[in-house]
Amino acid sequence: MHAPTPDAEVLSEPLRSRWSPSSFDPAHEVADGDLDVLVQAARWAPSRGNSQPWVLVVLRRGVGNHAAWCETLSRGNAWVRRASAVLVTAVRTGPDPDAEPGSKAAREVPADYACYDTGQAAAHVTLQARAMGLHAHQFSGMDLDAAGGVLGVPGHFRVLSGIAVGRHLEPTEGDLVEREDRPRERRPTGEALRDGAWDRPWPSA
Ligand SMILES: Cc1cc2nc3c(=O)[nH]c(=O)nc-3n(C[C@H](O)[C@H](O)[C@H](O)COP(=O)(O)O)c2cc1C
């Protein structure tokens, strides 16, 4: 029902069984050591010029800023509250005003690639989570400015997304059942992929 979907069976683990559940076990906790492994996965992701133009703010369910930050979630993302931890991604939007002149942190980061790199770091977290028997679900549905305010994100960074991490709990009732039963779909390969030139859909044969 969830993963692997028939098309994704060709993939290797942990790509094969990755999917984005919305029903998390509210009693599950992620050990600090496991959280550290997850953030290391982000840290070792590639980035343009090795700029690593992002910061992750790690929130543990029920601890510190978690409750205040949850108030910034969009209505459709109330499910995030039950995740064991949330990694909020913030992308660097300009040079650090306090950085040493000439240092990496003082340099401008092209916005498109900063977002690209942040997404890539997030993807690495989701795959590391799966490899550890956990599930991850990325989301953008929150008041990004309010979230930045709650977490004290400085002006040269902007909150971009969150990664909810935890243990999947099969839902038994409510809208999560319908939500998680939805088939996972992708655009047809001929629409999304090209073989050597734009006008040749993949596979061209
Ligand atoms: C940048 C980004 C933002 C997303 N925002 C939300 C969101 O606000 N709420 C949500 O439930 N899912 C969100 N998702 C999850 C996608 O809906 C999901 O990845 C997509 O439907 C494919 O499903 P799969 O991850 O199970 O393959 C987001 C994913 C990404 C990468």
Side-chain angles (χ1 to χ4, degrees), residues 2-3 5 18-22 73-74 76-80 119 122 126 136-142 160-162 179 182-186:
H2 307 308
T5 52
R18 187 211 62 80
W19 67 292
S20 301
S22 302
L73 285 168
S74 64
N77 280 344
W79 56 266
V80 177
T126 66
H137 186 156
Q138 299 183 58
F139 59 91
S140 54
M142 68 182 123
L160 195 57
S161 66
R179 195 179 167 124
R182 271 181 230 155
R184 293 176 66 237
E185 291 171 336
R186 290 301 186 263

Side-chain angles (χ1 to χ4, degrees), residues 30-44 87 124-125 128-129 131-132:
V30 188
D32 279 352
D34 287 346
L35 277 176
D36 189 54
V37 176
L38 291 174
V39 294
Q40 295 301 331
R43 203 173 146 244
W44 286 100
L87 282 54
H124 282 221
V125 171
Q128 181 62 41
M132 294 161 72

Side-chain angles (χ1 to χ4, degrees), residues 107-169:
R107 274 179 236 141
E108 204 70 54
V109 184
D112 288 352
Y113 290 101
C115 291
Y116 185 103
D117 294 341
T118 305
Q120 182 142 224
H124 282 221
V125 171
T126 66
L127 294 173
Q128 181 62 41
R130 192 74 284 271
M132 294 161 72
L134 298 168
H135 281 91
H137 186 156
Q138 299 183 58
F139 59 91
S140 54
M142 68 182 123
D143 181 330
L144 301 172
D145 291 337
V150 169
L151 302 177
V153 174
H156 60 295
F157 275 83
R158 169 169 74 84
V159 170
L160 195 57
S161 66
I163 312 165
V165 179
R167 187 164 65 193
H168 179 233
L169 182 71

